[in-house]
Amino acid sequence: MQLGIYIDCAISDINGNGRDELVIAYRGLDGHPELLIANKGWGTRAFNAYARYLETDFTLTDDKSVAVTTGDFDGDGDDEIALAVESDESAGTYLAVYDVEDGSIVKKDSLLVPASYNSLVNRLDIASGDMDGDGNDEIVATTYYHRIDLIDVNATT
């Protein structure tokens, strides 16, 4: 399995089969972020590609990174995928949420989290958890210059 650069990963039962899959985000060779879901074959050490998604709405330059996490962001009982991508020109961080439907990765929503500091280096990481106790996971994004954002995908206000 050949992957690009700037790799991040998460583990989750993303397809609902009772076994965890490996969700990988990376900068593809064409400069676009790419998602790959891989599952482990029965009785083998090898991982098999389950689903791929090429995110063509964003392009990564050589000094930008990607981050991925999983969680039940919409409260349906199934985990979704969240992908964070550093934007060019310090605009902020692009965040997109994907679902897995019938073996395919489907984009559900995206937004731009504005940068809080004008920097050409805006390293990031994301994690998920039920931070407000409402039963749905939220996304926590950390970026350069000590900024932490809590993003509630299902917020109505």
Side-chain angles (χ1 to χ4, degrees):
M1 196 177 322
Q2 177 87 21
L3 300 178
I5 58 176
Y6 303 117
I7 296 174
D8 193 23
C9 65
I11 296 174
S12 174
D13 180 13
I14 203 74
N15 64 4
N17 68 353
R19 297 178 54 205
D20 285 342
E21 287 77 41
L22 180 62
V23 179
I24 305 168
Y26 57 96
R27 179 181 176 262
L29 298 178
D30 62 354
H32 293 290
E34 196 162 343
L35 288 170
L36 170 72
I37 299 173
N39 54 14
K40 191 170 181 307
W42 289 98
T44 178
R45 293 182 183 195
F47 281 88
N48 304 310
Y50 173 78
R52 276 196 141 110
Y53 186 90
L54 180 64
E55 179 54 79
T56 57
D57 288 347
F58 316 119
T59 302
L60 290 164
T61 56
D62 288 338
D63 64 340
K64 302 301 180 189
S65 64
V66 297
V68 68
T69 191
T70 58
D72 183 9
F73 306 120
D74 60 8
D76 67 354
D78 297 322
D79 281 354
E80 291 79 40
I81 302 168
L83 173 69
V85 178
E86 286 183 85
S87 68
D88 289 333
E89 302 172 9
S90 302
T93 301
Y94 293 110
L95 183 67
V97 176
Y98 308 84
D99 210 343
V100 176
E101 298 174 357
D102 299 322
S104 297
I105 301 171
V106 179
K107 185 189 243 179
K108 292 297 183 181
D109 201 2
S110 64
L111 62 100
L112 174 67
V113 180
S116 60
Y117 183 74
N118 187 14
S119 169
L120 296 177
V121 180
N122 194 29
R123 295 293 173 233
L124 65 106
D125 195 13
I126 57 175
S128 64
D130 185 4
M131 302 298 292
D132 60 7
D134 69 352
N136 296 336
D137 290 332
E138 287 76 42
I139 300 166
V140 179
T142 61
T143 58
Y144 182 78
Y145 206 66
H146 315 293
R147 178 173 174 157
I148 299 173
D149 290 296
L150 179 64
I151 299 131
D152 190 344
V153 176
N154 280 322
T156 57
T157 58

PDB file of all heavy atoms in Angstrom, residues 5-6 27-32 59-66 86-88 120-121 123:
ATOM      1  N   ILE A   5       2.835  11.716   1.778  1.00  0.00           N
ATOM      2  CA  ILE A   5       3.552  12.214   2.948  1.00  0.00           C
ATOM      3  C   ILE A   5       2.597  12.888   3.919  1.00  0.00           C
ATOM      4  O   ILE A   5       1.437  13.113   3.613  1.00  0.00           O
ATOM      5  CB  ILE A   5       4.671  13.171   2.518  1.00  0.00           C
ATOM      6  CG1 ILE A   5       4.115  14.343   1.709  1.00  0.00           C
ATOM      7  CG2 ILE A   5       5.725  12.436   1.717  1.00  0.00           C
ATOM      8  CD1 ILE A   5       5.161  15.377   1.334  1.00  0.00           C
ATOM      9  N   TYR A   6       3.115  13.241   5.091  1.00  0.00           N
ATOM     10  CA  TYR A   6       2.347  13.860   6.173  1.00  0.00           C
ATOM     11  C   TYR A   6       1.182  12.979   6.588  1.00  0.00           C
ATOM     12  O   TYR A   6       0.023  13.316   6.405  1.00  0.00           O
ATOM     13  CB  TYR A   6       1.848  15.268   5.805  1.00  0.00           C
ATOM     14  CG  TYR A   6       2.953  16.207   5.427  1.00  0.00           C
ATOM     15  CD1 TYR A   6       3.026  16.740   4.161  1.00  0.00           C
ATOM     16  CD2 TYR A   6       3.927  16.539   6.348  1.00  0.00           C
ATOM     17  CE1 TYR A   6       4.048  17.601   3.811  1.00  0.00           C
ATOM     18  CE2 TYR A   6       4.956  17.397   6.005  1.00  0.00           C
ATOM     19  CZ  TYR A   6       5.010  17.920   4.738  1.00  0.00           C
ATOM     20  OH  TYR A   6       6.013  18.757   4.386  1.00  0.00           O
ATOM     21  N   ARG A  27      -1.150  13.375   2.657  1.00  0.00           N
ATOM     22  CA  ARG A  27      -1.040  14.231   1.470  1.00  0.00           C
ATOM     23  C   ARG A  27      -0.719  13.325   0.302  1.00  0.00           C
ATOM     24  O   ARG A  27       0.346  12.732   0.231  1.00  0.00           O
ATOM     25  CB  ARG A  27       0.060  15.265   1.647  1.00  0.00           C
ATOM     26  CG  ARG A  27       0.248  16.162   0.450  1.00  0.00           C
ATOM     27  CD  ARG A  27       1.389  17.152   0.716  1.00  0.00           C
ATOM     28  NE  ARG A  27       1.640  17.956  -0.432  1.00  0.00           N
ATOM     29  CZ  ARG A  27       2.608  17.719  -1.330  1.00  0.00           C
ATOM     30  NH1 ARG A  27       3.399  16.694  -1.184  1.00  0.00           N
ATOM     31  NH2 ARG A  27       2.769  18.512  -2.352  1.00  0.00           N
ATOM     32  N   GLY A  28      -1.673  13.196  -0.597  1.00  0.00           N
ATOM     33  CA  GLY A  28      -1.467  12.353  -1.763  1.00  0.00           C
ATOM     34  C   GLY A  28      -0.419  12.938  -2.690  1.00  0.00           C
ATOM     35  O   GLY A  28      -0.035  14.110  -2.577  1.00  0.00           O
ATOM     36  N   LEU A  29       0.022  12.147  -3.611  1.00  0.00           N
ATOM     37  CA  LEU A  29       1.089  12.571  -4.510  1.00  0.00           C
ATOM     38  C   LEU A  29       0.674  13.736  -5.397  1.00  0.00           C
ATOM     39  O   LEU A  29       1.500  14.459  -5.910  1.00  0.00           O
ATOM     40  CB  LEU A  29       1.552  11.385  -5.352  1.00  0.00           C
ATOM     41  CG  LEU A  29       2.141  10.230  -4.541  1.00  0.00           C
ATOM     42  CD1 LEU A  29       2.527   9.087  -5.455  1.00  0.00           C
ATOM     43  CD2 LEU A  29       3.335  10.693  -3.733  1.00  0.00           C
ATOM     44  N   ASP A  30      -0.625  13.952  -5.574  1.00  0.00           N
ATOM     45  CA  ASP A  30      -1.104  15.069  -6.389  1.00  0.00           C
ATOM     46  C   ASP A  30      -1.301  16.343  -5.568  1.00  0.00           C
ATOM     47  O   ASP A  30      -1.756  17.341  -6.086  1.00  0.00           O
ATOM     48  CB  ASP A  30      -2.407  14.694  -7.089  1.00  0.00           C
ATOM     49  CG  ASP A  30      -3.506  14.378  -6.092  1.00  0.00           C
ATOM     50  OD1 ASP A  30      -3.230  14.341  -4.881  1.00  0.00           O
ATOM     51  OD2 ASP A  30      -4.652  14.169  -6.525  1.00  0.00           O
ATOM     52  N   GLY A  31      -0.989  16.300  -4.270  1.00  0.00           N
ATOM     53  CA  GLY A  31      -1.119  17.473  -3.415  1.00  0.00           C
ATOM     54  C   GLY A  31      -2.450  17.593  -2.712  1.00  0.00           C
ATOM     55  O   GLY A  31      -2.649  18.481  -1.890  1.00  0.00           O
ATOM     56  N   HIS A  32      -3.400  16.729  -3.013  1.00  0.00           N
ATOM     57  CA  HIS A  32      -4.694  16.752  -2.342  1.00  0.00           C
ATOM     58  C   HIS A  32      -4.673  15.806  -1.151  1.00  0.00           C
ATOM     59  O   HIS A  32      -4.060  14.739  -1.214  1.00  0.00           O
ATOM     60  CB  HIS A  32      -5.817  16.311  -3.293  1.00  0.00           C
ATOM     61  CG  HIS A  32      -6.057  17.267  -4.414  1.00  0.00           C
ATOM     62  ND1 HIS A  32      -6.611  18.501  -4.220  1.00  0.00           N
ATOM     63  CD2 HIS A  32      -5.808  17.159  -5.730  1.00  0.00           C
ATOM     64  CE1 HIS A  32      -6.707  19.118  -5.381  1.00  0.00           C
ATOM     65  NE2 HIS A  32      -6.220  18.325  -6.320  1.00  0.00           N
ATOM     66  N   THR A  59      -6.005  21.746  -1.366  1.00  0.00           N
ATOM     67  CA  THR A  59      -4.695  21.340  -1.866  1.00  0.00           C
ATOM     68  C   THR A  59      -3.666  21.659  -0.798  1.00  0.00           C
ATOM     69  O   THR A  59      -3.705  22.720  -0.177  1.00  0.00           O
ATOM     70  CB  THR A  59      -4.335  22.085  -3.160  1.00  0.00           C
ATOM     71  OG1 THR A  59      -5.353  21.819  -4.127  1.00  0.00           O
ATOM     72  CG2 THR A  59      -3.006  21.623  -3.704  1.00  0.00           C
ATOM     73  N   LEU A  60      -2.748  20.743  -0.586  1.00  0.00           N
ATOM     74  CA  LEU A  60      -1.693  20.930   0.413  1.00  0.00           C
ATOM     75  C   LEU A  60      -0.386  21.306  -0.260  1.00  0.00           C
ATOM     76  O   LEU A  60       0.028  20.650  -1.204  1.00  0.00           O
ATOM     77  CB  LEU A  60      -1.473  19.633   1.193  1.00  0.00           C
ATOM     78  CG  LEU A  60      -2.578  19.233   2.144  1.00  0.00           C
ATOM     79  CD1 LEU A  60      -2.435  17.774   2.535  1.00  0.00           C
ATOM     80  CD2 LEU A  60      -2.546  20.114   3.366  1.00  0.00           C
ATOM     81  N   THR A  61       0.261  22.345   0.251  1.00  0.00           N
ATOM     82  CA  THR A  61       1.614  22.641  -0.194  1.00  0.00           C
ATOM     83  C   THR A  61       2.575  21.821   0.668  1.00  0.00           C
ATOM     84  O   THR A  61       2.165  21.175   1.635  1.00  0.00           O
ATOM     85  CB  THR A  61       1.903  24.148  -0.053  1.00  0.00           C
ATOM     86  OG1 THR A  61       1.680  24.539   1.298  1.00  0.00           O
ATOM     87  CG2 THR A  61       1.001  24.958  -0.970  1.00  0.00           C
ATOM     88  N   ASP A  62       3.840  21.860   0.333  1.00  0.00           N
ATOM     89  CA  ASP A  62       4.815  20.986   0.991  1.00  0.00           C
ATOM     90  C   ASP A  62       4.930  21.192   2.495  1.00  0.00           C
ATOM     91  O   ASP A  62       5.296  20.279   3.220  1.00  0.00           O
ATOM     92  CB  ASP A  62       6.192  21.159   0.357  1.00  0.00           C
ATOM     93  CG  ASP A  62       6.243  20.548  -1.025  1.00  0.00           C
ATOM     94  OD1 ASP A  62       5.408  19.674  -1.324  1.00  0.00           O
ATOM     95  OD2 ASP A  62       7.112  20.953  -1.808  1.00  0.00           O
ATOM     96  N   ASP A  63       4.648  22.382   2.995  1.00  0.00           N
ATOM     97  CA  ASP A  63       4.834  22.638   4.424  1.00  0.00           C
ATOM     98  C   ASP A  63       3.537  22.564   5.230  1.00  0.00           C
ATOM     99  O   ASP A  63       3.502  22.969   6.377  1.00  0.00           O
ATOM    100  CB  ASP A  63       5.495  23.996   4.636  1.00  0.00           C
ATOM    101  CG  ASP A  63       4.628  25.148   4.146  1.00  0.00           C
ATOM    102  OD1 ASP A  63       3.726  24.901   3.321  1.00  0.00           O
ATOM    103  OD2 ASP A  63       4.854  26.283   4.582  1.00  0.00           O
ATOM    104  N   LYS A  64       2.478  22.040   4.676  1.00  0.00           N
ATOM    105  CA  LYS A  64       1.200  21.936   5.379  1.00  0.00           C
ATOM    106  C   LYS A  64       0.942  20.493   5.797  1.00  0.00           C
ATOM    107  O   LYS A  64       1.462  19.565   5.204  1.00  0.00           O
ATOM    108  CB  LYS A  64       0.049  22.440   4.504  1.00  0.00           C
ATOM    109  CG  LYS A  64       0.216  23.870   4.035  1.00  0.00           C
ATOM    110  CD  LYS A  64       0.323  24.833   5.196  1.00  0.00           C
ATOM    111  CE  LYS A  64       0.502  26.262   4.706  1.00  0.00           C
ATOM    112  NZ  LYS A  64       0.807  27.176   5.796  1.00  0.00           N
ATOM    113  N   SER A  65       0.115  20.317   6.819  1.00  0.00           N
ATOM    114  CA  SER A  65      -0.119  18.969   7.333  1.00  0.00           C
ATOM    115  C   SER A  65      -1.608  18.644   7.393  1.00  0.00           C
ATOM    116  O   SER A  65      -2.452  19.509   7.204  1.00  0.00           O
ATOM    117  CB  SER A  65       0.519  18.809   8.717  1.00  0.00           C
ATOM    118  OG  SER A  65      -0.087  19.673   9.649  1.00  0.00           O
ATOM    119  N   VAL A  66      -1.894  17.376   7.676  1.00  0.00           N
ATOM    120  CA  VAL A  66      -3.256  16.891   7.837  1.00  0.00           C
ATOM    121  C   VAL A  66      -3.364  16.204   9.202  1.00  0.00           C
ATOM    122  O   VAL A  66      -2.374  15.764   9.769  1.00  0.00           O
ATOM    123  CB  VAL A  66      -3.659  15.882   6.739  1.00  0.00           C
ATOM    124  CG1 VAL A  66      -3.641  16.534   5.385  1.00  0.00           C
ATOM    125  CG2 VAL A  66      -2.778  14.664   6.754  1.00  0.00           C
ATOM    126  N   GLU A  86      -4.411  21.998   6.990  1.00  0.00           N
ATOM    127  CA  GLU A  86      -3.892  23.358   7.094  1.00  0.00           C
ATOM    128  C   GLU A  86      -4.156  24.102   5.791  1.00  0.00           C
ATOM    129  O   GLU A  86      -3.917  23.577   4.708  1.00  0.00           O
ATOM    130  CB  GLU A  86      -2.384  23.344   7.324  1.00  0.00           C
ATOM    131  CG  GLU A  86      -1.977  22.943   8.706  1.00  0.00           C
ATOM    132  CD  GLU A  86      -0.478  23.029   8.836  1.00  0.00           C
ATOM    133  OE1 GLU A  86       0.027  24.134   9.124  1.00  0.00           O
ATOM    134  OE2 GLU A  86       0.175  21.997   8.641  1.00  0.00           O
ATOM    135  N   SER A  87      -4.633  25.325   5.921  1.00  0.00           N
ATOM    136  CA  SER A  87      -4.879  26.130   4.724  1.00  0.00           C
ATOM    137  C   SER A  87      -3.630  26.904   4.349  1.00  0.00           C
ATOM    138  O   SER A  87      -2.714  27.066   5.152  1.00  0.00           O
ATOM    139  CB  SER A  87      -6.029  27.105   4.963  1.00  0.00           C
ATOM    140  OG  SER A  87      -5.630  28.081   5.908  1.00  0.00           O
ATOM    141  N   ASP A  88      -3.597  27.374   3.128  1.00  0.00           N
ATOM    142  CA  ASP A  88      -2.501  28.234   2.697  1.00  0.00           C
ATOM    143  C   ASP A  88      -2.736  29.645   3.194  1.00  0.00           C
ATOM    144  O   ASP A  88      -3.855  30.039   3.512  1.00  0.00           O
ATOM    145  CB  ASP A  88      -2.399  28.233   1.167  1.00  0.00           C
ATOM    146  CG  ASP A  88      -1.887  26.903   0.648  1.00  0.00           C
ATOM    147  OD1 ASP A  88      -1.160  26.218   1.395  1.00  0.00           O
ATOM    148  OD2 ASP A  88      -2.217  26.548  -0.493  1.00  0.00           O
ATOM    149  N   LEU A 120       2.937  31.589   9.021  1.00  0.00           N
ATOM    150  CA  LEU A 120       3.058  30.718   7.868  1.00  0.00           C
ATOM    151  C   LEU A 120       3.144  29.257   8.291  1.00  0.00           C
ATOM    152  O   LEU A 120       3.040  28.364   7.480  1.00  0.00           O
ATOM    153  CB  LEU A 120       4.285  31.098   7.039  1.00  0.00           C
ATOM    154  CG  LEU A 120       4.216  32.487   6.423  1.00  0.00           C
ATOM    155  CD1 LEU A 120       5.506  32.790   5.675  1.00  0.00           C
ATOM    156  CD2 LEU A 120       3.021  32.626   5.499  1.00  0.00           C
ATOM    157  N   VAL A 121       3.348  29.016   9.580  1.00  0.00           N
ATOM    158  CA  VAL A 121       3.394  27.657  10.105  1.00  0.00           C
ATOM    159  C   VAL A 121       2.221  27.501  11.066  1.00  0.00           C
ATOM    160  O   VAL A 121       2.155  28.156  12.086  1.00  0.00           O
ATOM    161  CB  VAL A 121       4.719  27.384  10.855  1.00  0.00           C
ATOM    162  CG1 VAL A 121       4.734  25.981  11.390  1.00  0.00           C
ATOM    163  CG2 VAL A 121       5.896  27.625   9.932  1.00  0.00           C
ATOM    164  N   ARG A 123       0.754  24.408  12.456  1.00  0.00           N
ATOM    165  CA  ARG A 123       0.651  22.981  12.747  1.00  0.00           C
ATOM    166  C   ARG A 123      -0.603  22.678  13.529  1.00  0.00           C
ATOM    167  O   ARG A 123      -1.052  23.471  14.336  1.00  0.00           O
ATOM    168  CB  ARG A 123       1.882  22.494  13.504  1.00  0.00           C
ATOM    169  CG  ARG A 123       3.146  22.592  12.694  1.00  0.00           C
ATOM    170  CD  ARG A 123       3.098  21.620  11.528  1.00  0.00           C
ATOM    171  NE  ARG A 123       4.228  21.813  10.651  1.00  0.00           N
ATOM    172  CZ  ARG A 123       4.121  22.013   9.358  1.00  0.00           C
ATOM    173  NH1 ARG A 123       2.966  22.053   8.765  1.00  0.00           N
ATOM    174  NH2 ARG A 123       5.189  22.164   8.621  1.00  0.00           N
TER     175      ARG A 123
END
